[in-house]
């Protein structure tokens, strides 16, 4: 492979640009809403469109229908490969071709399924960013490299990501050999902003427990027993409060707390966080250390359900029991089952006034952290810096993207790079979704540069 310069790649991308925007616009018009039925004809057409798009870049892309764990037909997936040299490294390119639904088109300023470019430099439409942008990046990068591609490519463009990927694990397991690769590029996340690129470095895991606090065999009158006997709601509140220190940091032994993976390049802005969440004026943010660590890599617990007597119609009784559900976001590297056990042990051990506390464990979801010292990560960071003309500010995700830890589990030796075309203005999953076109062009160059670097 001849060494291709960044300038040459950039000019090829510029030349190809109208094709990329047209393809993205056509993709938006397909309205591939998986919530309308993952096995539907509209989803098959969307998969065929993507297979055709990648086929033009030398990938032997084909559409395959997956099977759900119960054996019923599943999503229309796009798989394929382009092998340039059996001795070269292999890179799996991931994106998804399904899009979020549009429950109320009247909330949009434009037709959600007609790609509309505006003077703000953004292209509007459902799936423009999530994840039509990811497909555009892969197509554009392969096109720019053309015959200068120096790595083997495998592709997996999923058809049910927005539905929680029900057939993902059986599908990957069944195609394990076809997907085996040294590096996996997941183009389904985003950048710090349209101007500042990022790798997504970590995802928190999650776990849930249901907790019951019991103090009495039956409710009793508060006039007769109130005083020595605290009601179960109060005891439950005490139990919940016991998980925190005075700063609002969780103090549950065995629940891990981590720092941003690969170090923190840039902290989040408190004023934006307050504005985005509409935090009331006087509220002091809980926890300590960087805001980024509190949102990305430290654990957090939320009471997401609480069974108590409704206020209307309440009367003077001492509640015998109270039940609540805790949802915990766990540090990226901690096994969530281990965090769940630590949380359950803590709650039972801290039963206020010796009330009965029982904990029922619910589901766990594994987190994920990239290896910040891997060669692929260094290549990707250099490529992003070159393409965007500024150093990346990597970021974590406080939530989960369940298929990423699954990919990592099935291919433990692969380096997973999480990139993507979104930025904070993209409104993925909301009305008026859009993609910044200048940023998309830079993301295409970045991926072409990553593939070039990985070839060496
Ligand atoms: Zn997505």
């Amino acid at each position: 492979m001849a060494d291709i310069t960044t300038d040459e790649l950039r000019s090829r991308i510029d030349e190809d640009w109208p094709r990329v925007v047209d393809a993205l616009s056509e993709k938006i018009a397909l309205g591939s809403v998986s919530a309308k039925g993952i096995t539907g004809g509209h989803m098959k057409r969307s998969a065929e469109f993507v297979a055709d798009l990648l086929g033009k870049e030398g990938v032997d892309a084909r559409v395959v229908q997956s099977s759900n764990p119960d054996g019923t037909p599943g999503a229309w997936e796009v798989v394929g490969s382009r092998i340039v040299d059996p001795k070269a490294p292999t890179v799996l390119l991931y994106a998804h071709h399904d899009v979020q639904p549009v429950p109320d088109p009247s909330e949009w300023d434009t037709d959600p399924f007609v790609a509309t470019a505006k003077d703000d430099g953004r292209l509007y439409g459902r799936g423009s960013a999530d994840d039509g942008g990811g497909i555009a990046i892969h197509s554009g990068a392969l096109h720019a490299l053309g015959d200068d591609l120096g790595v083997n490519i495998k592709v997996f463009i999923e058809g049910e990501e927005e539905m929680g990927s029900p057939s993902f694990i059986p599908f990957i397991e069944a195609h394990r050999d076809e997907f085996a690769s040294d590096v996996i590029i997941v183009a389904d996340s985003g950048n710090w902003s349209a101007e500042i690129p990022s790798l997504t470095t970590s995802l928190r895991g999650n776990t849930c427990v249901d907790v019951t606090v019991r103090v009495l065999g039956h409710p009793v009158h508060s006039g007769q027993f109130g005083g020595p006997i605290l009601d179960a709601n109060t005891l439950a509140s005490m139990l919940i409060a016991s998980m925190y220190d005075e700063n609002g940091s969780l103090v549950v032994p065995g629940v891990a707390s981590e720092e941003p993976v690969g170090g923190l390049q840039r902290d989040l802005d408190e004023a934006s966080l307050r504005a985005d969440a509409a935090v009331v004026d006087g509220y002091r943010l809980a926890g300590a250390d960087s805001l980024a660590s509190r949102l990305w890599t430290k654990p957090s617990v939320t009471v997401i359900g609480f069974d108590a007597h409704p206020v209307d119609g309440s009367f003077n009784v001492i509640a015998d029991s109270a039940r609540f559900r805790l949802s915990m976001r766990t540090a990226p590297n901690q096994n969530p089952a281990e965090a769940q056990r630590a949380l359950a042990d803590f709650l039972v051990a801290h039963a206020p006034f010796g009330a009965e506390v029982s904990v029922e464990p619910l589901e766990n979801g594994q987190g994920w952290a990239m290896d910040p010292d891997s060669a692929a990560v260094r290549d990707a960071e250099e490529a992003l810096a070159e393409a965007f003309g500024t150093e990346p500010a990597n970021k974590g995700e406080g939530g989960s993207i369940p298929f990423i830890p699954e990919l990592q589990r099935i291919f433990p030796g692969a380096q997973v790079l999480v990139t993507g075309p979104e930025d904070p203005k993209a409104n993925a999953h909301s009305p008026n979704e859009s993609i910044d076109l200048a940023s998309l062009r830079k993301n295409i160059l970045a991926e072409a540069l990553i593939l070039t670097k990985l070839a060496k």
Side-chain angles (χ1 to χ4, degrees):
M1 189 199 74
D3 256 8
I4 182 164
T5 64
T6 304
D7 283 344
E8 173 61 17
L9 282 172
R10 197 178 273 120
S11 78
R12 289 184 193 177
I13 291 165
D14 290 346
E15 211 170 294
D16 184 38
W17 184 242
R19 182 195 67 86
V20 170
V21 177
D22 283 352
L24 182 53
S25 303
E26 280 183 61
K27 176 72 191 70
I28 290 167
L30 291 171
S32 49
V33 175
S34 46
K36 288 188 174 169
I38 54 172
T39 59
H42 69 301
M43 295 310 300
K44 190 178 183 196
R45 278 191 294 282
S46 164
E48 283 164 350
F49 173 84
V50 174
D52 189 50
L53 196 68
L54 296 172
K56 290 186 179 125
E57 309 310 335
V59 178
D60 65 353
R62 61 192 194 284
V63 174
V64 180
Q65 188 168 27
S66 67
S67 295
N68 293 318
D70 66 3
T72 56
W76 299 103
E77 323 276 28
V78 181
V79 301
S81 62
R82 180 174 163 198
I83 305 301
V84 297
D85 175 358
K87 292 189 294 294
T90 298
V91 181
L92 173 64
L93 303 179
Y94 170 93
H96 60 88
H97 69 88
D98 66 324
V99 303
Q100 279 280 312
V102 176
D104 184 1
S106 74
E107 291 176 331
W108 287 64
D109 299 332
T110 61
D111 184 331
F113 297 110
V114 175
T116 309
K118 290 198 187 175
D119 329 341
D120 59 2
R122 305 183 73 91
L123 185 76
Y124 287 78
R126 175 54 90 218
S128 54
D130 183 15
D131 190 21
I135 294 167
I137 290 173
H138 296 327
S139 165
L142 290 176
H143 190 94
L145 286 165
D147 291 337
D148 293 308
L149 179 69
V151 291
N152 300 312
I153 293 295
K154 295 181 174 181
V155 301
F156 175 34
I157 312 296
E158 200 193 353
E160 55 174 10
E161 197 276 338
E162 304 295 2
M163 298 294 287
S165 306
S167 67
F168 185 87
I169 294 171
F171 189 77
I172 296 270
E173 302 268 16
H175 292 75
R176 195 184 272 264
D177 292 343
E178 279 176 76
F179 292 152
S181 46
D182 303 295
V183 175
I184 301 174
I185 300 180
V186 174
D188 186 24
S189 185
N191 294 309
W192 189 275
S193 67
E195 293 77 31
I196 302 170
S198 309
L199 286 175
T200 298
T201 54
S202 65
L203 309 166
R204 285 194 289 192
N206 56 278
T207 184
C208 264
V209 293
D210 281 355
V211 184
T212 303
V213 177
R214 175 168 290 283
V215 57
L216 298 168
H218 53 80
V220 295
H221 190 259
S222 63
Q224 194 177 356
F225 293 99
I229 299 172
L230 297 174
D231 68 274
N233 298 325
T234 298
L235 294 165
S237 306
M238 288 173 166
L239 180 57
I240 292 165
S242 72
M243 292 188 289
Y244 298 91
D245 69 11
E246 68 281 7
N247 292 319
S249 296
L250 269 183
V251 286
V252 179
V255 172
S257 200
E258 293 167 16
E259 287 302 317
V261 173
L264 182 60
Q265 284 94 39
R266 204 177 164 113
D267 199 4
L268 294 160
D269 172 49
E270 178 170 339
S272 318
L273 175 89
R274 286 180 170 279
D276 290 350
V279 179
V280 298
D281 285 344
Y283 180 78
R284 287 174 288 114
L285 298 184
D289 302 329
S290 69
L291 207 43
S293 69
R294 283 180 266 169
L295 289 162
W296 301 340
T297 53
K298 290 176 186 258
S300 70
V301 174
T302 305
V303 180
I304 60 170
F306 198 120
D307 292 340
H309 196 286
V311 171
D312 290 336
S314 55
F315 43 100
N316 288 326
V317 293
I318 299 178
D320 54 334
S321 72
R323 180 168 166 260
F324 57 92
R325 178 166 296 175
L326 299 180
S327 161
M328 177 159 64
R329 300 286 178 177
T330 57
N333 289 297
Q334 184 166 39
N335 179 340
E338 179 189 290
Q340 185 185 57
R341 271 194 303 278
L343 177 65
D345 291 349
F346 179 90
L347 293 169
V348 170
H350 287 75
F353 294 90
E356 278 175 29
V357 173
S358 57
V359 180
E360 186 191 338
L362 303 173
E363 74 279 13
N364 294 313
Q366 181 65 46
W368 172 81
M370 78 174 190
D371 172 2
D373 301 319
S374 74
V377 164
R378 277 197 301 277
D379 285 344
E381 287 175 337
E382 281 174 25
L384 287 166
E386 226 173 311
F388 280 76
T390 183
E391 287 300 313
N394 290 341
K395 59 194 182 63
E397 288 279 348
S400 317
I401 307 178
F403 72 83
I404 291 178
E406 287 301 333
L407 269 180
Q408 190 74 82
R409 180 182 65 77
I410 298 169
F411 302 113
Q415 293 300 327
V416 180
L417 300 174
V418 181
T419 66
E422 291 175 30
D423 66 73
K425 294 178 186 160
N427 281 355
H429 298 211
S430 305
N432 299 314
E433 179 178 350
S434 67
I435 188 167
D436 185 281
L437 290 171
S439 182
L440 172 61
R441 210 189 281 224
K442 292 174 192 163
N443 264 119
I444 292 172
L445 177 59
E447 185 161 300
L449 289 168
I450 294 172
L451 296 176
T452 305
K453 288 173 195 292
L454 291 174
K456 291 186 181 141

